[in-house]
Amino acid sequence: MDSDHQSSYKLNKTEKKFLRKQIKARHTLLRHEGIETVSYATQSLVVANGGLGNNVSRNQLVPVLEKCGLVDALLMPPSKPYSFVRYKTAEEAKEAYVTLNGKEIVDDLGQKIILYLNFVEKAQWKELGLQALPPGLMVVEEIISSEDEKILLESVNWTEDIDNHNGQKCLKHRRVKHFGYEFRYENNNVDKDKPLPGGLPDIWDSILEKWLKEGFIKHKPDQLTVNQYEPGHGIPAHIDTHSAFEDEIVSLSLGSEIVMDFKHPDGVTVPVMLPRRSLLVMTGESRYLWTHGITPRKFDTVQASKGHRSGIITSDVGDLTLSKRGIRTSFTFRKVRQTPCNCSYPLVCDSQMKETPPSFPESAREASQLEREYVHRVYEEIAEHFSSTRHTPWPRVVDFLKALPSGSLVADVGCGNGKYLGINKELYMVGCDRSQNLVGICRERHLEALVGDALAVPLRSGSWDACISIAVTHHLSTAERRVAALQELVRLLRPGGMALIYVWAMEQEYKKKKSKYLRENRLRQGKEEEIHSDAAEPGSLGEQVPDAGDQDAPCRVSAVTDVRAGGGSASKVTDAKLPVHTNRTSFRSQDLLVPWHRKGNPGRDEPVGATESRAPGPVFHRYYHVFCAGELEEACRTLSHVRVLQSYYDQGNWCVVLQKV
């Protein structure tokens, strides 16, 4: 329906229903994606429900759009339920707006989808910079012929008794066979003293010899795992156990192509296309440090250009489409390790890990030392880079500040780079932060800020109309210190004054909805590919949240089992006796160290929490205590002279508004 004529006549029931849904789509795009639509005709449109995340492929959408005019560009961001289209003229875009709004199409799964179109000044998407394959990773295309592929697939007898000597199993998401040695999933290892009879099938002898001769592998494997994946199946991200197998792991993909995700501990994810009949070779860092896994889905996001086959799936949103998965069979070859692993990645190496379990501070002195090394000193080191990522205020914090009466005195405890200090010009705001370098950034911006600790804020008692504490309390390492920080906020407030507190939530999926942080990978600084010009980059509610959790993960204050999956740091980190979390993965504990990969050159004197990692900068580790549902509210209720006015969840954070009575 043409927006110019919506008010010229009375809408019927169907038109009213459509208009409501169109407005809802518009608001959803603005609220969750920062995409602002306009009411007048332009060359560019955002097509809600017409995206790769809705199983709508480029080949499916282009013919629909071209019925209304010449499509100049179509941007399809990965995993998003919308796309951007630009026509040659605004008149053609207007024709699409009128004709296609409310149009029903069928996606690649056969499900009906209704498109909703709105005009935008420009279409833009943050495109990842150029990525490289993980070090030590190689993909060899067409390693075998199609005839050999057929023979090898037919050689696998999936109808054998599941109790046969080759260890055939039907797992939840795939069928699997083992040869040489059986991989024991209960302990992620092999029994080196109990090889399976028969060894590897004879059919592989000549193929392995050829790979050895051509230099694709350096050792003849003695263990083979065969996995068969149906469309929609996958395998969780993992690192093959260091103590079980030697450095080299190779995998042959037959029957269908697949996209495999490789993830570094600092959170960088590299999607790699493994074409049909290709060989994946993992050695060194890619084998020992990066996790690899296959997301369970029926379609992969791939390059639309025909020339692109193996290697990295780039984020060129003008060249992405969907590829339907087929039945894929992988043949993964390994050599069983007979001696302990002595790789260069001790934190993720089960052969080199300390046997003593992680522990937490047992005294105020230990807690203070932990925070000094893994919070205070780290923020001093990363202040400049940290500040460059903290520019968009969170909407509900802004709402709190703008609702305060004009002339209110407000203290921002843990102000960081001061992004909230100038939100409401009608307030008198003073910031306080433990980091001298962050306070220095505030002063460069001519903001009122001073250095101070959240446990001893250098401000006058009972004088402040409001306080905010955003993403601060979760850096304190004991329950007593967290309560003391909350009590310090109450001390500052006058009677009737209010405080807003945000802490990082254990539950990054809430009410069956993932937080924006969990839905997006914003860990790499990107560049914008855009249609048109001169529009601000959309903000993100999730920019301040450094990690991801799982709604169903158990909340506990105990040692964690996340050490093997995390890593990327030297042995000094283990001195803190806390697990290092793998960024953008589910939480396994409430107390953990979170990596921060600093851009630029490392400084001369790195703190205890810093370790050399991948170029271009070092990895630092910050201590966090993530809060379970109700934990923050319960802590606030232990305070004297306090009333909890509101408790809510906001994009991966638990939040409380309290009042001093």
Side-chain angles (χ1 to χ4, degrees):
M1 186 184 304
D2 192 335
S3 60
D4 293 340
H5 301 291
Q6 287 176 0
S7 60
S8 63
Y9 67 95
K10 189 174 182 180
L11 302 177
N12 61 38
K13 186 176 180 180
T14 302
E15 290 171 330
K16 287 180 179 178
K17 181 179 179 181
F18 158 71
L19 185 58
R20 284 198 303 270
K21 290 189 174 181
Q22 186 191 27
I23 293 172
K24 182 179 179 182
R26 188 186 307 153
H27 289 166
T28 300
L29 287 167
L30 178 61
R31 181 176 179 182
H32 296 291
E33 303 293 340
I35 298 170
E36 189 168 358
T37 61
V38 295
S39 59
Y40 48 87
T42 67
Q43 288 177 256
S44 302
L45 293 153
V46 58
V47 186
N49 291 342
L52 300 176
N54 287 81
N55 297 318
V56 177
S57 67
R58 180 175 296 272
N59 293 339
Q60 186 181 20
L61 189 58
V62 167
V64 175
L65 297 171
E66 286 183 335
K67 290 179 181 179
C68 300
L70 185 59
V71 173
D72 190 43
L74 175 62
L75 302 186
M76 302 189 77
S79 305
K80 293 298 179 181
Y82 54 82
S83 59
F84 299 101
V85 59
R86 185 181 73 190
Y87 284 92
K88 279 293 185 181
T89 67
E91 284 300 316
E92 290 173 317
K94 192 172 182 179
E95 174 68 19
Y97 180 89
V98 174
T99 305
L100 302 181
N101 246 320
K103 182 176 177 60
E104 186 178 275
I105 64 172
V106 179
D107 68 11
D108 285 359
L109 289 175
Q111 298 175 332
K112 294 179 180 179
I113 286 180
I114 298 177
L115 302 179
Y116 297 100
L117 283 72
N118 282 286
F119 292 109
V120 291
E121 274 295 337
K122 75 170 184 179
Q124 65 177 27
W125 184 252
K126 287 187 71 65
E127 179 188 350
L128 296 182
L130 292 176
Q131 293 176 306
L133 286 173
L137 190 75
M138 177 174 63
V139 180
V140 185
E141 293 186 36
E142 296 294 337
I143 191 74
I144 63 169
S145 66
S146 57
E147 292 79 12
D148 286 341
E149 177 187 38
K150 186 173 184 291
I151 294 171
L152 291 171
L153 288 173
E154 290 176 349
S155 72
V156 183
N157 185 359
W158 294 107
T159 62
E160 291 177 344
D161 182 5
I162 62 172
D163 293 326
N164 71 70
H165 63 271
N166 288 329
Q168 177 173 324
K169 294 181 182 294
C170 288
L171 301 181
K172 183 178 180 181
H173 297 298
R174 63 191 188 279
R175 291 197 293 182
V176 62
K177 274 179 174 285
H178 301 289
F179 298 90
Y181 293 84
E182 181 178 0
F183 187 78
R184 313 292 299 189
Y185 292 97
E186 62 270 20
N187 62 1
N188 292 323
N189 215 317
V190 295
D191 190 337
K192 300 174 184 179
D193 298 324
K194 293 183 179 180
L196 296 172
L200 271 57
D202 295 339
I203 195 172
W204 290 100
D205 287 345
S206 61
I207 296 174
L208 293 175
E209 288 295 339
K210 181 181 178 183
W211 292 353
L212 278 166
K213 185 177 179 180
E214 294 179 354
F216 296 131
I217 59 175
K218 296 182 176 62
H219 310 286
K220 189 170 183 179
D222 56 10
Q223 195 274 337
L224 166 62
T225 297
V226 185
N227 284 292
Q228 187 181 78
Y229 299 87
E230 298 280 346
H233 291 174
I235 186 170
H238 65 284
I239 299 173
D240 285 58
T241 306
H242 289 206
S243 64
F245 306 110
E246 293 286 353
D247 182 13
E248 192 173 67
I249 295 176
V250 298
S251 185
L252 177 67
S253 296
L254 300 183
S256 179
E257 66 185 18
I258 200 74
V259 172
M260 181 174 284
D261 293 319
F262 287 82
K263 194 168 190 177
H264 189 271
D266 67 15
V268 174
T269 298
V270 179
V272 177
M273 167 62 77
L274 305 180
R276 185 175 177 177
R277 296 187 295 276
S278 69
L279 184 70
L280 170 70
V281 182
M282 292 185 290
T283 61
E285 184 177 315
S286 66
R287 180 266 188 266
Y288 288 124
L289 184 59
W290 292 65
T291 64
H292 60 278
I294 298 171
T295 303
R297 57 194 175 209
K298 294 186 177 181
F299 294 87
D300 281 321
T301 299
V302 301
Q303 307 298 140
S305 53
K306 294 182 179 179
H308 187 96
R309 297 199 63 188
S310 66
I312 297 169
I313 305 298
T314 70
S315 62
D316 178 3
V317 294
D319 187 38
L320 293 180
T321 188
L322 295 178
S323 173
K324 190 173 183 178
R325 287 184 180 177
I327 297 175
R328 172 179 174 267
T329 305
S330 68
F331 297 80
T332 302
F333 296 90
R334 310 173 179 92
K335 184 170 182 59
V336 173
R337 184 185 291 277
Q338 301 299 331
T339 58
C341 178
N342 62 349
C343 68
S344 302
Y345 310 96
L347 194 66
V348 291
C349 180
D350 59 313
S351 292
Q352 302 180 61
M353 286 180 191
K354 294 183 177 181
E355 295 183 0
T356 55
S359 61
F360 302 104
E362 296 181 357
S363 66
R365 182 175 176 273
E366 289 180 5
S368 178
Q369 181 179 356
L370 173 66
E371 292 160 19
R372 183 166 58 251
E373 300 295 340
Y374 291 95
V375 180
H376 306 158
R377 294 178 68 176
V378 171
Y379 275 103
E380 290 291 11
E381 291 290 332
I382 69 172
E384 186 174 350
H385 181 217
F386 177 82
S387 177
S388 71
T389 68
R390 299 302 187 265
H391 46 76
T392 306
W394 294 356
R396 296 191 71 169
V397 179
V398 173
D399 292 343
F400 176 84
L401 292 173
K402 289 192 173 181
L404 295 172
S406 177
S408 295
L409 299 180
V410 183
D412 183 351
V413 179
C415 64
N417 66 351
K419 72 176 183 179
Y420 292 111
L421 293 179
I423 290 296
N424 186 348
K425 303 297 183 182
E426 302 299 317
L427 306 177
Y428 182 77
M429 293 192 69
V430 174
C432 165
D433 200 279
R434 184 62 174 71
S435 167
Q436 187 169 345
N437 288 337
L438 285 172
V439 170
I441 292 172
C442 292
R443 291 173 178 171
E444 289 173 4
R445 297 175 177 178
H446 306 290
L447 300 171
E448 292 285 343
L450 47 88
V451 176
D453 196 298
L455 295 174
V457 181
L459 295 174
R460 186 175 178 179
S461 302
S463 304
W464 300 85
D465 299 296
C467 296
I468 60 173
S469 172
I470 311 301
V472 176
T473 310
H474 53 216
H475 284 308
L476 296 164
S477 56
T478 67
E480 293 78 12
R481 292 168 73 81
R482 292 188 285 272
V483 170
L486 297 175
Q487 188 65 62
E488 188 70 353
L489 296 175
V490 177
R491 177 187 68 81
L492 298 178
L493 293 172
R494 64 165 177 78
M498 296 186 298
L500 172 64
I501 304 149
Y502 267 58
V503 294
W504 194 9
M506 181 92 170
E507 301 84 355
Q508 290 294 305
E509 185 172 339
Y510 183 64
K511 293 184 177 179
K512 298 183 179 180
K513 185 176 181 180
K514 293 181 179 179
S515 68
K516 185 168 183 179
Y517 167 81
L518 201 57
R519 298 195 308 269
E520 291 187 357
N521 190 333
R522 296 173 56 89
L523 283 166
R524 297 191 64 145
Q525 186 66 33
K527 60 179 181 179
E528 293 180 357
E529 170 163 342
E530 58 186 51
I531 297 177
H532 218 19
S533 59
D534 303 328
E537 170 193 343
S540 168
L541 284 176
E543 66 166 1
Q544 243 179 302
V545 186
D547 219 310
D550 187 331
Q551 183 182 7
D552 297 323
C555 293
R556 59 188 185 275
V557 183
S558 61
V560 195
T561 59
D562 195 33
V563 180
R564 280 187 51 212
S569 51
S571 58
K572 282 187 177 180
V573 172
T574 62
D575 293 340
K577 299 182 180 179
L578 285 165
V580 176
H581 191 65
T582 302
N583 280 332
R584 311 277 169 162
T585 63
S586 298
F587 286 127
R588 310 282 177 84
S589 170
Q590 287 189 266
D591 295 83
L592 64 165
L593 299 176
V594 177
W596 178 279
H597 191 273
R598 189 181 70 184
K599 306 296 181 184
N601 296 321
R604 296 178 186 174
D605 301 314
E606 304 295 3
V608 174
T611 61
E612 289 300 323
S613 181
R614 302 168 61 247
V619 175
F620 297 82
H621 294 83
R622 297 170 295 165
Y623 168 80
Y624 279 88
H625 171 86
V626 292
F627 281 66
C628 287
E631 183 179 351
L632 177 60
E633 186 175 356
E634 182 180 350
C636 291
R637 294 191 188 281
T638 66
L639 306 174
S640 55
H641 309 295
V642 161
R643 177 171 59 201
V644 174
L645 299 180
Q646 191 179 8
S647 178
Y648 59 93
Y649 179 91
D650 182 20
Q651 288 294 336
N653 298 276
W654 289 114
C655 321
V656 161
V657 178
L658 59 81
Q659 184 177 44
K660 185 173 183 177
V661 296

